[in-house]
Amino acid sequence: MNMTFGGEPVTLEGQEVKVGDMAPDFRAVNTDLSIYNSTDDRGKVVIYSVVPSLDTPVCQVQTRTFNEKIGELGEDVKVVTISVDLPFAQKRYCAAEGIDNVIAVSDYNGHEFGKKYGFLVKENQLLARGIVIVDKEGKVTYVEYVPESTDEVDFDKAFEEAKKLK
């Protein structure tokens, strides 16, 4: 897949996930420094909202949009925002911006999500922008890798796909 970051070509490391794949299990770090384990979310629809850094304008739009609209999807749908920002910065950002309907987890320690889902940018070790939706059984039902990391995800398509799984 051809990707750019700020207009410059970049290389994604790891295995790109595809619709129909079983979602790889991964661990990341919650804002309270506890471990987030993706297997704990089996039985829920999970939207992984992948961003390079919460503290940038496009990432803020992505996080705020999911935070505001998650209520439309019902209690069986969870949004997990993933970046490589340190957990302390994620916690501070979420508190300052009133982000309380989605959770933020950090992939800074080992980049397990980035490598297993194919979102890790080799050149800067940030995550590329995108969305992965996993159904209640753990199967990938929607994937978007945004070709230019400074562009927005397709919110309408993601919400349409998530609503099918409620």
Side-chain angles (χ1 to χ4, degrees):
M1 168 176 289
N2 293 328
M3 300 285 295
T4 56
F5 199 99
E8 296 295 319
V10 294
T11 307
L12 294 184
E13 294 187 22
Q15 184 64 41
E16 182 180 324
V17 293
K18 295 180 175 33
V19 171
D21 290 350
M22 288 306 292
D25 296 336
F26 71 94
R27 293 162 46 111
V29 182
N30 289 304
T31 59
D32 65 1
L33 301 182
S34 66
I35 298 299
Y36 169 84
N37 191 331
S38 64
T39 60
D40 293 341
D41 287 330
R42 291 293 189 269
K44 288 186 177 260
V45 173
V46 181
I47 301 172
Y48 294 116
S49 173
V50 189
V51 299
S53 176
L54 286 174
D55 200 22
T56 60
V58 179
C59 298
Q60 289 175 1
V61 167
Q62 186 168 331
T63 303
R64 275 194 222 105
T65 300
F66 279 114
N67 190 64
E68 291 166 7
K69 294 192 173 218
I70 185 64
E72 299 173 14
L73 299 176
E75 293 180 16
D76 287 342
V77 180
K78 179 177 187 176
V79 175
V80 178
T81 296
I82 303 175
S83 72
V84 294
D85 295 306
L86 292 176
F88 310 107
Q90 290 178 331
K91 185 175 187 173
R92 188 171 49 250
Y93 168 80
C94 289
E97 297 294 325
I99 304 299
D100 53 6
N101 296 322
V102 304
I103 70 161
V105 300
S106 178
D107 197 36
Y108 84 97
N109 190 4
H111 306 293
E112 191 171 334
F113 173 86
K115 291 175 183 173
K116 287 185 174 183
Y117 283 70
F119 277 90
L120 184 62
V121 177
K122 178 180 180 179
E123 289 78 3
N124 59 23
Q125 296 296 290
L126 295 174
L127 298 179
R129 181 175 319 286
I131 297 172
V132 177
I133 300 178
V134 178
D135 71 10
K136 294 177 182 180
E137 288 74 45
K139 189 187 316 182
V140 175
T141 62
Y142 176 78
V143 179
E144 179 184 7
Y145 291 87
V146 178
E148 165 52 56
S149 284
T150 59
D151 291 341
E152 290 184 10
V153 296
D154 187 340
F155 294 109
D156 293 338
K157 183 73 172 158
F159 279 100
E160 177 184 314
E161 292 298 319
K163 286 177 182 177
K164 292 177 186 176
L165 301 173
K166 293 192 328 176

